[in-house]
Amino acid sequence: TLPNCEVRLGNYCFLDASGLTKIIFKENTKITAIEGTIFKNTNLSEFIIDQNNPYYTASNDLLLSKDGKKIIFVAPNVLSTDYVISNNYDVIGSGAFSGANLTSITINNPNTIIEEYAFANCENLVKVVFPTTKGIIIKAHAFNYASSLAEIENLGGYMNRYGEFVECDPRNSELLEMVYDKIFETNGISREEAQKLLREKRIHSFI
């Protein structure tokens, strides 16, 4: 049970807490800061929200903002390894999936905002599928330490004709490095050649 007041959640504060199965939010519980990976290697499967809490609601495996538009956290113990985020959600919050045991993630809403560290430390995440319609905004370090990431579909829709990311925070360096080093370089394509292919719009088969 979280305190009935404002709460800061520090990095790895519940790491390896295998006995953790549910989190209870009291009437005045409000998370003011999420400072990293919170529920890695726990058995969390349920969020219980006081009916008078003005800040949050819960739906299946998700802790959501009161209006249901922002994903605050996912409960890792009921998380499918191939996870689809529906059109219902506009924001994937900071650290929302951090440390989760995902292998693939599909985002359906083309207007989704992916906040900082949303998928950080998802060490088994191999594939990300973005919507074909441009609109996604990716903030800094959203995929930090997602060391297995090897495939991103529809990423080309988020680059301009010069091969520059239009809607991607430039601090999101791990995503940029992944595009070059894990897709282009492994296919024998230099960074210079990749930029040329991007400009000529000839690399959609890679992304």
Side-chain angles (χ1 to χ4, degrees):
T1 302
L2 295 178
N4 194 31
C5 59
E6 293 185 347
V7 179
R8 296 173 65 92
L9 298 180
N11 195 23
Y12 296 117
C13 63
F14 293 110
L15 178 67
D16 296 330
S18 58
L20 181 64
T21 60
K22 62 184 178 182
I23 295 284
I24 299 173
F25 287 70
K26 294 186 175 182
E27 180 178 354
N28 297 309
T29 302
K30 181 182 181 182
I31 300 172
T32 58
I34 298 170
E35 298 175 345
T37 299
I38 306 300
F39 298 117
K40 187 176 177 65
N41 299 334
T42 71
N43 287 307
L44 179 65
S45 61
E46 185 179 12
F47 298 101
I48 300 174
I49 315 298
D50 186 287
Q51 62 180 359
N52 295 317
N53 186 293
Y55 308 111
Y56 306 109
T57 187
S59 176
N60 298 320
D61 55 347
L62 298 174
L63 175 67
L64 304 169
S65 58
K66 193 67 174 182
D67 64 2
K69 296 297 185 181
K70 178 177 181 177
I71 299 174
I72 309 296
F73 282 123
V74 63
N77 199 45
V78 293
L79 181 70
S80 169
T81 55
D82 298 308
Y83 199 85
V84 178
I85 299 176
S86 76
N87 287 321
N88 296 334
Y89 310 115
D90 296 333
V91 181
I92 302 171
S94 177
F97 288 80
S98 184
N101 186 30
L102 292 165
T103 56
S104 72
I105 190 81
T106 299
I107 300 171
N108 286 332
N109 185 349
N111 298 308
T112 300
I113 298 171
I114 304 175
E115 292 190 341
E116 294 85 353
Y117 300 101
F119 297 97
N121 290 314
C122 290
E123 297 167 354
N124 297 317
L125 181 62
V126 175
K127 181 178 180 180
V128 176
V129 180
F130 289 130
T132 54
T133 304
K134 178 181 169 183
I136 290 275
I137 294 176
I138 306 170
K139 294 193 175 181
H141 314 299
F143 294 88
N144 219 31
Y145 303 115
S147 54
S148 299
L149 190 57
E151 183 179 358
I152 301 178
E153 289 189 11
N154 302 320
L155 186 61
Y158 305 96
M159 295 178 183
N160 65 20
R161 64 191 179 93
Y162 301 107
E164 299 167 340
F165 284 79
V166 178
E167 303 287 349
C168 181
D169 190 306
R171 291 172 294 170
N172 207 333
S173 58
E174 72 286 342
L175 189 58
L176 303 177
E177 291 297 317
M178 174 266 164
V179 171
Y180 285 114
D181 296 337
K182 291 193 176 182
I183 295 180
F184 297 139
E185 188 174 350
T186 56
N187 285 279
I189 301 172
S190 70
R191 292 193 177 209
E192 292 75 16
E193 289 174 317
Q195 290 287 354
K196 183 175 184 291
L197 292 172
L198 284 165
R199 288 193 295 269
E200 295 174 358
K201 298 182 180 179
R202 290 169 51 197
I203 50 93
H204 289 188
S205 61
F206 289 99
I207 56 178

